[in-house]
Amino acid sequence: MVEVTVTPQSSLADRPVQVQVRGLSPSQLVTLRASLTDEQGERFQARAFFRADGAGEVDPGRHAALGGSYAGVWPMGLFWFLQPDTLFRRLVKRDVAGSPFRVRLEVFDGLCLVTGPQDQPLASCEAERWYVGPGVQRVPIREGRVRGALFLPP
């Protein structure tokens, strides 16, 4: 049974996570895809192609991506190389304190350049990427022409 995990499942956006896929056949070619929908409804995706090792595992921190959105060993590549489906859109988190970005990770058999609704992943999981830690207080600043926000630690 194929399983994909993200450790930790919930973390701050600037903290590294570990992505692992287990249960594959040795040397099996797979596509790992990360996707999220921002607050405006825009979808962002990244994908990378991997060959499983002898134990049937893929770890982007140890194994080189063979292609896709990036190539080589990039432990956070699926998160760093997210691209919009609509050209010229930027990934911006507006509600930094209220909710996380939910990044869906999926594993597909073979090399999948385009996936449609009929394509079922071998395994999937979700990671939460928060922009403000627990207990942090956001204080709006409006003084003369200065506008901003002060984030106070707990």
Side-chain angles (χ1 to χ4, degrees), residues 12-97:
L12 291 173
D14 63 343
R15 300 284 193 251
V17 294
Q18 183 178 20
V19 177
Q20 287 189 314
V21 182
R22 292 186 181 94
L24 300 167
S25 301
S27 299
Q28 181 178 353
L29 280 172
V30 294
T31 300
L32 264 169
R33 180 176 72 179
S35 62
L36 70 83
T37 303
D38 72 3
E39 295 149 332
Q40 315 292 286
E42 292 293 331
R43 193 167 115 160
F44 293 77
Q45 297 185 76
R47 71 184 69 236
F49 312 128
F50 292 93
R51 183 177 298 282
D53 63 13
E57 297 181 356
V58 168
D59 179 350
R62 292 186 301 124
H63 303 115
L66 306 174
S69 301
Y70 66 95
V73 178
W74 291 81
M76 295 292 295
L78 291 168
F79 295 86
W80 291 342
F81 291 97
L82 287 165
Q83 294 293 314
D85 285 356
T86 306
L87 291 177
F88 308 113
R89 300 292 184 170
R90 291 186 328 155
L91 184 58
V92 177
K93 182 70 172 138
R94 306 242 183 253
D95 179 18
V96 295

